[in-house]
Amino acid sequence: MRAPAVLALAAAAALAVAACAPEDPTTSAPTDQPSATTPTASSDPCATDGLPVRTKGKLTIATDQPVYGPWFEDDKPESGKGFEGAVAYAVAKEMGFEQPDVVWTRVKFNNAIQPGPKDFDFDINEFSITEDRKKAVDFSSPYYDVSQAIIALEGSKIANAESLADLKDARLGAQVSTTSYSVITDLVKPTVEPRVFPNNDNAKLSLQNGQIDGLVVDLPTAFYMTGAEIEGSKVVGQFELGQGTPEQFGLVLDKGSPLTTCVSRAVDALREDGTLDDLAQEWLADVAGAPVLGPG
Amino acid sequence: MPSADAPAPSALQVERQRFRSRQTVRSVLVAAASTAVLGVVLYFAVTGAPGWERVQERFLDPKIAADTFPAILRGLWLNIRLLVVCAICAFALGLLVALMRTLRGPVFFPLRALSTAYTYGFRGMPLIIVIYVMALGVPGLRLAGTPGVLVLGGAAIVLTYGAYLAEVFRAGIESVHPSQRAAARSLGLTYRQSMRFVILPQAVRRVSPPLLNDLVAMQKDVGLISLAGPIDAVSAAQIATGQSFNFTPYVVAGVLFVLLAVPLVAVTDWVTLRAARRQSAEGAA
């Protein structure tokens, strides 16, 4: 009885190996796609029909759920309203995809950065470009320069802070996996352990409850929260991020994606013709006048 | 006199013993072979996958593991402290509620109803929602002297687990044969004394495996308090992952949690074994 069982196990094992070792679609696609499909399009590798997108003729764009203003309006990216919604459609148009050809998909943060195949052509969700992150994913050219800001309730002990030193003893909070949190730990270095929230809704509630003194978010979000969401709150100030390159948002693509150069080219074109500035003006207008918090 | 020890085994018996030892060797060899085959298959299936290098880089980076280890360990310390405090409180609450539910007599109806409603409600309510309500909702009332988010989150865990433990304790109490109580009372022990010296010791011994099992489960669930802001081991790993887009910190946290659980699980197994032995010894005696 035993010997056949071993054989069966070995056979099953061999089958399992065969089943578990498929070709990697993401790495094989780029090599044969341009040569196999349209040799005439080789003059322009970013021609719309030759693009190795997930679904032919469609551009699949991902973002998180929920998404917040002023980046998206009402958690509805397909409306094209809000800065990132508008940028996504502008990039799509630049790449040759009209409004109906854009398919939105919702991808959680961890799924967007995992090493397996991706469910999207690119993901737009306030991803800050850093060298460390570039080891895991591809970023397009930056579409927005962002600074971080801190908001607090009127009358809180840090509401009138003028420098980083004034924030030292405050309990600060930020959303997890954001550069906002790094600002707290690397720049402010408070004496009280900061709080980290899974999303901005929990963070806002904690600020309103007085469980944290200040919440660090990017500047446009700070204005949106204080203006439209949290009554009696104010933007205390924005942070100066050293002398290096400014913090920038980029579109996230799979590591080694064949689309990266084409998406970057589209973003660059939009910056050059002023579209990005216009969209920022339209959706993120009032981010200018926040006082800068220096080391003091 | 050597011949008095035992009669020499018969030829048949010798053959039988030989056959048995041959079978034992054979089954060990087969087990070893099949384990080796499975191991080799898994090794090649995983490392031979086209994306293996990428996965290895993103999940098993020794440098990132070393860099993030201190922060995750600091988070784990919060988990451990919470576990100890919450476990003690939840056990006390569970025992109290179980005693309330097993009280007899019409005068105790309100207590019984209250404890029944509690165990029904909090066993049904997802822990995440209880934590949200306690840690983010209650402070919204702006009552003077509202405790911090750690205490509130801990209370949510105690309330939820107290309901499970109460049912385990109740099952234990009710599994003690009524004759035990009758015998204790007939010896002149009061209700409290018979509970204290006769019923509860037997009840707790019988349900100690499930009680410890709940403790192991609680060890993981105390981390849900991070939903309200405090940084535990898992959210420390999440922070580190967000900075590098590398998942190694999650693996580090996972390994630490397993190491934390191993002693607990071992104790659970030992207690289960001991309880089983005692039960069957009782039966045999």
Side-chain angles (χ1 to χ4, degrees), chain B residues 43-253:
Chain B
Y43 177 79
F44 281 106
V46 172
T47 60
W52 166 242
E53 265 179 40
R54 209 191 269 200
V55 169
Q56 191 180 26
E57 218 171 83
R58 305 257 62 92
F59 281 82
L60 303 166
D61 184 323
K63 188 176 173 300
I64 287 184
D67 288 350
T68 55
F69 185 74
I72 294 172
L73 204 60
R74 225 176 299 131
L76 194 70
W77 178 229
L78 173 72
N79 289 73
I80 294 173
R81 282 178 298 166
L82 260 178
L83 175 65
V84 171
V85 175
C86 289
I88 293 171
C89 295
F91 272 73
L93 179 68
L95 191 56
L96 183 74
V97 172
L99 289 175
M100 277 165 62
R101 257 197 104 171
T102 49
L103 282 176
R104 309 242 189 288
V107 69
F108 296 121
F109 175 77
L111 283 183
R112 278 202 304 273
L114 190 68
S115 52
T116 307
Y118 163 73
T119 52
Y120 271 59
F122 278 90
R123 276 186 305 160
M125 184 86 84
L127 176 54
I128 292 184
I129 292 172
V130 182
I131 286 181
Y132 272 134
V133 171
M134 291 292 289
L136 294 175
V138 170
L141 299 173
R142 306 195 177 238
L143 300 170
T146 306
V149 70
L150 268 180
V151 177
L152 288 169
I157 294 165
V158 168
L159 279 172
T160 302
Y161 271 86
Y164 287 111
L165 294 173
E167 287 302 274
V168 175
F169 276 124
R170 186 171 70 97
I173 291 171
E174 288 182 349
S175 77
V176 177
H177 198 273
S179 64
Q180 295 282 322
R181 187 192 305 259
R185 298 304 298 271
S186 70
L187 284 173
L189 271 62
T190 63
Y191 174 83
R192 284 181 60 169
Q193 284 171 328
S194 59
M195 260 297 168
R196 166 79 183 75
F197 297 109
V198 178
I199 312 292
L200 277 184
Q202 299 184 61
V204 171
R205 196 204 294 168
R206 281 188 191 178
V207 295
S208 49
L211 286 178
L212 286 167
N213 200 32
D214 277 339
L215 187 64
V216 175
M218 188 192 244
Q219 183 224 320
K220 288 169 291 185
D221 279 355
V222 290
L224 287 176
I225 202 171
S226 62
L227 290 170
I231 301 168
D232 83 318
V234 175
S235 61
Q238 202 179 354
I239 292 166
T241 295
Q243 275 156 4
S244 60
F245 284 12
N246 188 302
F247 291 85
T248 308
Y250 282 126
V251 178
V252 172

Side-chain angles (χ1 to χ4, degrees), chain A residues 133 135 195-196 208-209 211, chain B residues 58 135-136 142 149 229 242:
Chain A
R133 291 174 170 188
K135 290 179 201 151
R195 293 264 153 89
V196 174
Q208 281 168 310
N209 287 340
Q211 289 164 310
Chain B
R58 305 257 62 92
L136 294 175
R142 306 195 177 238
V149 70

Side-chain angles (χ1 to χ4, degrees), chain B residues 268-283:
Chain B
T268 311
D269 284 351
W270 176 72
V271 169
T272 313
L273 198 66
R274 201 183 59 154
R277 277 209 196 112
R278 288 197 175 176
Q279 293 270 355
S280 50
E282 272 168 23

